[in-house]
Amino acid sequence: GDMQLIGEAYDVLRRVAGATPAQLADVFSKWNVGELDSFLIEITAKIMATPDDLQAAGGAASLVDAVLDQTGSKGTGMWT
């Protein structure tokens, strides 16, 4: 579905093509027209365009760059 498409497209465009979050926001916005029009594509574009207002000078300019790509489990079935 859309989540798989978004995840794989992000990975290829970001890691392979070297697209910036601003460029990704533009791509997802354009995809959110016609056949790919969906809430998930729409919010992905908005997330990619969101600046990180809380970072100190010299930090990540985009909120998506400031998010730690990590999950964990305490063994209780609860996400940490």
Side-chain angles (χ1 to χ4, degrees):
D2 281 355
M3 290 181 72
Q4 184 72 30
L5 168 74
I6 291 166
E8 291 187 20
Y10 171 84
D11 193 52
V12 169
L13 291 171
R14 184 77 164 145
R15 294 181 193 215
V16 178
T20 66
Q23 291 169 323
L24 288 168
D26 186 50
V27 168
F28 283 110
S29 290
K30 289 176 182 174
W31 285 359
N32 196 42
V33 178
E35 193 172 326
L36 292 179
D37 181 21
S38 76
F39 176 71
L40 290 174
I41 300 286
E42 177 186 349
I43 63 169
T44 299
K46 289 179 181 180
I47 290 167
M48 294 297 156
T50 303
D52 184 6
D53 296 334
L54 299 178
Q55 278 291 345
S62 173
L63 185 59
V64 75
D65 285 338
V67 175
L68 184 60
D69 185 17
Q70 179 178 338
T71 60
S73 174
K74 295 180 182 177
T76 62
M78 301 290 291
W79 288 100
T80 59

